[in-house]
Amino acid sequence: MKQKILSKSRLMRGMQCEKNLWLNLHKPELEAKADAATQMQFDEGNEVGELARKMAGTGVLIDVAHYEYQKAHDATQQAIKNGEKIIFEAAFLHNGLFARADILKKDKNGWHLIEVKKSTGVKEYHIPDASIQTYIVEATGLKIKTISIRYINNEVTFPDLGDIFGTEDVTDAVREFMNKNIEKNILKFQKIANTKTEPKIKIGEHCDDPFECQFKGYCWKHVPEKSVFDLPTLTLKKKLQLFNAGYGKIKDLNAADYTKATKRAIEVTKSKKLFVDSKIISDRISEWVYPFYYFDFETIGPAIPRYPGTKPYVQIPFQFSCHVQNSKSSKKLDHFEYLHTKSNDPRPGIIKAMLDGLKTEGSIIAYNKSFEIGVIKKLAEYDSKNKNKLLALIDRFVDPLPIFREAVYHPDFLGSFSIKAVAPALIGDHLSYDSLTIGNGTEAQSIANQILQGKIKGKELEQTIEALLIYCRQDTMSMVELVWWLIANSKVKS
């Protein structure tokens, strides 16, 4: 049997779940294809890595394909032999184990291994990651003096990015982890890699910790696509355990609401009858003022800030959609929207179009309004000229989400109050996102990033712009129909 190369990324799979490692090696066709969210993470990680190399000083890059293990190792050994002081993507191969160091730097005290992460600090899983890295490097004979994690400093402000990276020495933590865990785990993973039998690992919290497993669709295929409370063979205690472990969990509730809402979810799911409290709906909606502006932002949050005054991961709006209902006696809708497609700062265009369209009176309806309000507050910080006008919008915002949490529950919610769970359950699939070219916010973010960076051109750009517009319109149209549903199921006369 040909030896299975265990790269650091594969070994980290094993640290999360041994079955993940085995499936990656023996049944890779079962792995979920990288979606837009995953691709965006890859692209952003590459961007952060490139900037880290640029700011680390002059060095040599081991520019060899990821699968050419021996060639990359040999190039690294030659660079060390040549006396290079900084080596980027240094590669090391030993006894079927392979790792690349983001930055390998030598000074008078010895070699320093620096791992670059796009997080805003050192995470728990970074320690085993760096430990595997160090173990493989040192197994080839190169002694490492210090090990560090280089991360994004989220306090820097564009354009002054000189301190965009923070660095933390994790040598002691890595050495401690290596002494306790590394060799026995690597031996175990090597054994698993070379067996023909799939490990028997039960599903659980590890399927999403620290990352969602790429084989979750395969391992969870036996879990029925319905509420756990419909499973007759389980005790109520077991159903609650599954519910609280994340299958059908009400993820968007605060602690005060959780017990009451969980109880209601259980009762509704068991009875299969819709729960509606018309009085609560009536009381809440009676406070809203026409015209109704159904409003939704789409944003990007780049790790490396691009626009004046912005910090890493701050949400920058690039698009909005707004449907307008002028009176309760008419369901005729007006619509206005904005989509930024140039490489320059999208905020001036967004602000002008938003203030022009939203006027000065009427309720602005946003599903989970705290997000839109947070974006507007940041816009107000940026634009002192329009600050007061922007802040005046905030008091006009109203939110259907708390009404659904408090007064409505449908068995098909399956524990979620997201608009993509609530809308199909209550108003049907005619506003389904399944048929759209762009079907979720993360995908919209990923594609918008490509447009704003000039990576999509020509006819493809035209088609992509139209797909983004259709997606955002769908969000606000879903809000329109959900509010109409609330009105129809309340004591408010439409």
Side-chain angles (χ1 to χ4, degrees):
M1 181 184 295
K2 184 179 179 181
Q3 185 183 38
K4 303 284 187 182
I5 298 295
L6 296 184
S7 63
K8 184 197 71 171
S9 60
R10 281 174 169 166
L11 292 168
M12 282 299 291
R13 286 173 180 259
M15 296 294 288
Q16 180 170 339
C17 176
E18 296 163 16
K19 189 175 181 181
N20 182 320
L21 169 63
W22 189 91
L23 289 169
N24 175 258
L25 291 166
H26 295 273
K27 294 185 178 181
E29 69 278 4
L30 297 176
E31 187 165 348
K33 294 181 180 179
D35 57 12
T38 304
Q39 188 58 52
M40 186 168 65
Q41 296 293 325
F42 287 154
D43 293 343
E44 199 166 59
N46 290 335
E47 186 181 2
V48 169
E50 288 175 11
L51 181 60
R53 291 197 294 270
K54 182 178 178 181
M55 300 182 73
T58 302
V60 60
L61 173 65
I62 306 302
D63 190 12
V64 178
H66 70 277
Y67 55 84
E68 295 186 289
Y69 306 111
Q70 189 64 55
K71 184 178 179 180
H73 172 86
D74 293 343
T76 301
Q77 294 303 310
Q78 187 62 49
I80 293 171
K81 185 178 179 180
N82 291 345
E84 297 288 350
K85 301 299 183 184
I86 302 178
I87 306 174
F88 303 121
E89 298 295 328
F92 298 87
L93 179 66
H94 175 77
N95 193 28
L97 305 175
F98 181 80
R100 281 184 180 267
D102 291 329
I103 302 174
L104 196 61
K105 190 172 184 178
K106 187 179 184 182
D107 61 22
K108 63 181 180 180
N109 295 315
W111 286 100
H112 304 272
L113 188 151
I114 303 168
E115 281 300 288
V116 179
K117 305 297 181 184
K118 68 184 193 70
S119 60
T120 56
V122 176
K123 306 293 185 183
E124 184 178 349
Y125 66 87
H126 291 162
I127 301 305
D129 180 282
S131 299
I132 292 171
Q133 199 90 309
T134 304
Y135 176 86
I136 297 173
V137 171
E138 292 191 330
T140 67
L142 189 72
K143 181 64 178 176
I144 299 298
K145 178 67 175 178
T146 59
I147 306 108
S148 300
I149 302 297
R150 188 156 290 174
Y151 56 86
I152 295 289
N153 171 17
N154 61 357
E155 293 301 316
V156 300
T157 303
F158 186 89
D160 183 9
L161 301 181
D163 294 325
I164 192 168
F165 292 109
T167 303
E168 182 174 330
D169 188 322
V170 294
T171 306
D172 291 343
V174 167
R175 294 296 179 192
E176 181 180 359
F177 189 91
M178 288 174 67
N179 291 336
K180 292 181 179 179
N181 299 282
I182 284 295
E183 286 199 32
K184 66 178 182 181
N185 276 318
I186 286 179
L187 288 171
K188 178 174 64 175
F189 297 153
Q190 287 176 322
K191 183 178 180 181
I192 290 170
N194 291 291
T195 183
K196 294 182 179 180
T197 306
E198 180 180 317
K200 294 182 179 179
I201 307 292
K202 294 182 179 180
I203 61 174
E205 293 182 5
H206 60 276
C207 297
D208 292 285
D209 185 19
F211 304 106
E212 182 176 357
C213 177
Q214 302 91 329
F215 294 97
K216 191 172 179 181
Y218 167 71
C219 296
W220 285 62
K221 64 180 182 293
H222 64 284
V223 179
E225 291 188 6
K226 57 182 178 178
S227 171
V228 293
F229 302 107
D230 285 339
L231 304 178
T233 58
L234 299 181
T235 65
L236 180 58
K237 181 179 179 180
K238 182 61 177 176
K239 292 175 183 178
L240 284 169
Q241 287 175 343
L242 286 171
F243 188 85
N244 291 323
Y247 184 63
K249 183 176 181 180
I250 301 179
K251 298 179 180 179
D252 51 3
L253 290 178
N254 61 42
D257 293 335
Y258 187 81
T259 302
K260 181 178 179 181
T262 302
K263 182 179 179 181
R264 181 180 301 140
I266 294 171
E267 291 172 349
V268 169
T269 307
K270 289 171 70 176
S271 69
K272 302 186 187 305
K273 294 180 180 178
L274 173 69
F275 168 84
V276 179
D277 189 320
S278 297
K279 185 177 186 308
I280 291 177
I281 297 174
S282 176
D283 289 345
R284 301 294 183 271
I285 292 183
S286 66
E287 300 170 358
W288 297 5
V289 178
Y290 284 94
F292 287 175
Y293 294 88
Y294 300 88
F295 188 84
D296 180 67
F297 275 130
E298 297 298 333
T299 63
I300 56 170
I304 301 173
R306 306 171 192 160
Y307 311 116
T310 61
K311 298 178 183 293
Y313 296 113
V314 166
Q315 296 300 309
I316 307 295
F318 64 87
Q319 179 182 14
F320 70 73
S321 170
C322 187
H323 280 89
V324 185
Q325 183 182 358
N326 288 297
S327 69
K328 65 180 180 180
S329 61
S330 173
K331 288 191 175 182
K332 181 178 180 294
L333 296 172
D334 296 324
H335 181 261
F336 65 98
E337 63 192 352
Y338 182 89
L339 173 62
H340 198 78
T341 59
K342 306 296 184 183
S343 61
N344 61 332
D345 193 337
R347 291 173 294 175
I350 282 272
I351 290 170
K352 184 180 187 309
M354 185 170 60
L355 291 177
D356 287 348
L358 290 174
K359 311 299 182 186
T360 57
E361 295 182 355
S363 292
I364 305 171
I365 302 170
Y367 205 89
N368 191 19
K369 69 178 182 179
S370 60
F371 178 77
E372 270 69 23
I373 288 174
V375 171
I376 288 173
K377 286 181 177 178
K378 288 295 183 183
L379 290 175
E381 290 177 12
Y382 157 73
D383 188 348
S384 57
K385 182 180 177 181
N386 289 300
K387 179 178 180 178
N388 291 336
K389 291 180 180 178
L390 288 165
L391 293 178
L393 298 174
I394 291 174
D395 288 339
R396 295 169 54 195
F397 271 89
V398 296
D399 191 349
L401 174 57
I403 302 177
F404 284 107
R405 285 177 174 168
E406 190 175 1
V408 181
Y409 198 84
H410 190 286
D412 288 345
F413 288 2
L414 295 180
S416 173
F417 286 99
S418 77
I419 194 168
K420 289 179 176 61
V422 171
L426 297 179
I427 61 179
D429 292 331
H430 67 284
L431 287 176
S432 170
Y433 292 78
D434 293 343
S435 62
L436 300 186
T437 303
I438 297 172
N440 59 67
T442 304
E443 191 174 1
Q445 279 187 338
S446 175
I447 291 171
N449 259 315
Q450 295 177 53
I451 291 176
L452 296 174
Q453 292 177 307
K455 295 180 180 179
I456 303 177
K457 300 181 185 298
K459 187 175 181 180
E460 183 185 0
L461 176 60
E462 294 176 13
Q463 294 171 340
T464 305
I465 287 172
E466 184 61 22
L468 279 169
L469 292 172
I470 291 171
Y471 167 75
C472 203
R473 290 172 201 153
Q474 186 98 316
D475 273 349
T476 50
M477 196 63 219
S478 292
M479 267 196 290
V480 169
E481 295 212 21
L482 283 174
V483 170
W484 288 352
W485 186 96
L486 286 173
I487 293 172
N489 286 274
S490 73
K491 296 181 180 180
V492 175
K493 300 299 181 181
S494 59

